[in-house]
Amino acid sequence: MSDKPSDDHPSASEIPDDVWEQFTRDTERDIRGSAPKEPSARARMVTERLRLQEERGETPPGWRTGPLPPEANRRAGRRRTLWTVLGVTVAVAVAVVALKPSLLPGDPFGTGEPGAAEASPLPAETAAPTAAPGASDAETPTLDQPFAGSPALRWADGEAGIVLPEAKAVGPVSKDRVEQALKLTKKLLVAANLDPATVRGERPGAALKVLDPKQPGLLDDLNTALRSPSDEHDPLTMFSRFDPDEIRPVGDVIKTRGRMTFEKGTHAGVAVRADYTFVYPVMRADGSTEVTRTIVRRVLDVELADPARYRVTEGRLTVRKYDEEIGNSACDVHDGYLHPEFPSSDKDTDPTGPTTDPYDRSRGLDNGDACGTVTRT
């Protein structure tokens, strides 16, 4: 066979130098990208530490913010209503929606490593977003980088993501009273979703102490859910909890993003609305290094009522409504814990509900009652 190049295939000497150099760089990059990667020294160290802790019967340290998966189950939802005896009705609506994640599509443009601008922290959310976050790269989360490939990479860590608006008087309610309501709402969110003990599945005592014991039904329902969880009484409607025998946090960060607003309440007080999304990176408790993420969005309406006019407890919040949506948790398990699925998990539940982006904070919560899917985790 002749070595002479054909008219259709020019030789290297006929290709311009800049084109040939670009081809060489792209080839080297593709070879590096496809080469198998060994776990980093830190990943090996974390795995060994967890193995030794398991042998000693110790639990790992708590977390404060979290990460992601690719295909899993989702849960059903319902709405319940409770009434106060304040002379003014207070509804507590609970919508439980857990979503099933699907495989995140690969990066069709080969963008590779995120740039410095992409990884820079986002400013605090001060208004409702108008669209979902842009597409992220298709990186797989690891022990070293549990938020890789997630929009939450740029979110604030834990409590730093709950930024209170500037307090102002509303009608007859003073600025100080508004500030108290905002701080109590933040305390409830932190204790229910970020406190390491709560996330490890322990009793969320600090969160319960923020709620008014004079509001009929609410604390009774929550205590029943914590004591004897079931489909009807599920603590996940208010608290983010994982079974420590099944799941462990990856690192000590839970990513948080959202906003808080306030207005004049219906009980001569101040009403606060909190809308926040929490992203939890997790691994199996058996020492596997596979990482996934569970995403929980909560919308909470509370009021700090006037104790001089209504039968309420001073310094405690009355809950008017609470809704949540959970991405990447088993649909058919009602034991009071989140049960994330991993990329290697067997998928034995077919989704019947809508497909949802759990990072899209521009949409309202889906109050459907069927198992669905999420587009990414």
Side-chain angles (χ1 to χ4, degrees):
M1 180 180 292
S2 172
D3 293 333
K4 181 179 179 181
S6 68
D7 294 338
D8 295 333
H9 301 283
S11 66
S13 61
E14 295 174 316
I15 299 175
D17 290 344
D18 58 341
V19 175
W20 180 256
E21 290 174 2
Q22 181 63 45
F23 170 76
T24 302
R25 286 195 299 270
D26 291 346
T27 301
E28 291 176 350
R29 182 197 63 199
D30 292 342
I31 292 173
R32 288 195 302 269
S34 62
K37 297 180 181 179
E38 300 222 356
S40 68
R42 181 175 180 272
R44 291 194 298 270
M45 179 184 68
V46 171
T47 302
E48 177 63 14
R49 173 172 57 80
L50 290 172
R51 186 186 67 80
L52 293 174
Q53 286 180 329
E54 181 72 26
E55 291 178 354
R56 295 193 298 266
E58 298 175 355
T59 57
W63 35 0
R64 290 184 181 273
T65 319
L68 142 85
E71 252 189 1
N73 287 338
R74 159 198 160 191
R75 247 150 124 92
R78 76 174 59 78
R79 186 170 293 271
R80 289 193 308 237
T81 302
L82 300 174
W83 301 98
T84 67
V85 289
L86 303 175
V88 179
T89 59
V90 179
V92 180
V94 184
V96 187
V97 182
L99 304 178
K100 171 180 175 178
S102 57
L103 287 172
L104 183 68
D107 181 2
F109 303 104
T111 53
E113 301 253 342
E118 183 181 351
S120 61
L122 289 174
E125 184 179 290
T126 56
T130 57
S136 304
D137 58 66
E139 286 188 272
T140 300
T142 65
L143 295 176
D144 284 329
Q145 299 184 21
F147 297 102
S150 167
L153 179 66
R154 300 181 61 197
W155 293 7
D157 293 356
E159 195 172 338
I162 304 178
V163 179
L164 301 182
E166 181 183 358
K168 298 179 181 179
V170 286
V173 184
S174 69
K175 174 182 175 181
D176 289 345
R177 188 73 170 165
V178 171
E179 185 175 23
Q180 181 186 16
L182 294 172
K183 289 181 176 179
L184 285 171
T185 304
K186 179 174 182 176
K187 184 177 181 179
L188 176 59
L189 289 168
V190 170
N193 300 282
L194 298 173
D195 182 83
T198 299
V199 178
R200 280 199 305 268
E202 298 177 19
R203 181 176 173 80
L208 294 171
K209 288 180 179 178
V210 179
L211 304 177
D212 192 342
K214 291 183 180 179
Q215 181 175 5
L218 178 60
L219 284 179
D220 287 343
D221 281 353
L222 292 176
N223 280 317
T224 297
L226 289 164
R227 183 174 57 252
S228 304
S230 65
D231 184 14
E232 182 67 23
H233 295 94
D234 192 345
L236 298 179
T237 58
M238 182 69 80
F239 312 112
S240 296
R241 311 168 76 238
F242 293 87
D243 184 349
D245 292 332
E246 176 190 346
I247 295 297
R248 289 179 177 174
V250 176
D252 60 357
V253 172
I254 298 166
K255 289 292 185 178
T256 306
R257 186 160 182 79
R259 65 191 181 280
M260 200 179 297
T261 58
F262 61 90
E263 62 184 7
K264 182 180 178 181
T266 57
H267 297 155
V270 55
V272 179
R273 163 162 283 207
D275 182 343
Y276 286 87
T277 301
F278 305 92
V279 184
Y280 302 87
V282 297
M283 63 186 295
R284 293 186 180 93
D286 61 8
S288 167
T289 59
E290 189 175 24
V291 177
T292 192
R293 292 185 286 255
T294 290
I295 302 139
V296 180
R297 182 181 173 189
R298 299 193 184 276
V299 178
L300 179 69
D301 290 306
V302 297
E303 181 165 349
L304 184 63
D306 183 355
R309 298 181 58 183
Y310 296 95
R311 286 181 287 177
V312 295
T313 305
E314 172 59 28
R316 301 289 186 94
L317 294 176
T318 297
V319 178
R320 304 167 66 185
K321 176 181 176 182
Y322 56 110
D323 302 286
E324 95 284 347
E325 191 172 77
I326 302 172
N328 189 25
S329 184
C331 296
D332 54 355
V333 181
H334 304 287
D335 60 357
Y337 298 116
L338 296 164
H339 292 279
E341 293 192 4
F342 291 79
S344 62
S345 300
D346 293 332
K347 312 301 185 297
D348 54 5
T349 302
D350 293 328
T352 57
T355 298
T356 306
D357 180 357
Y359 291 99
D360 184 1
R361 295 186 38 76
S362 67
R363 62 180 179 82
L365 294 189
D366 175 16
N367 291 329
D369 59 358
C371 223
T373 60
V374 294
T375 57
R376 53 182 171 175
T377 52

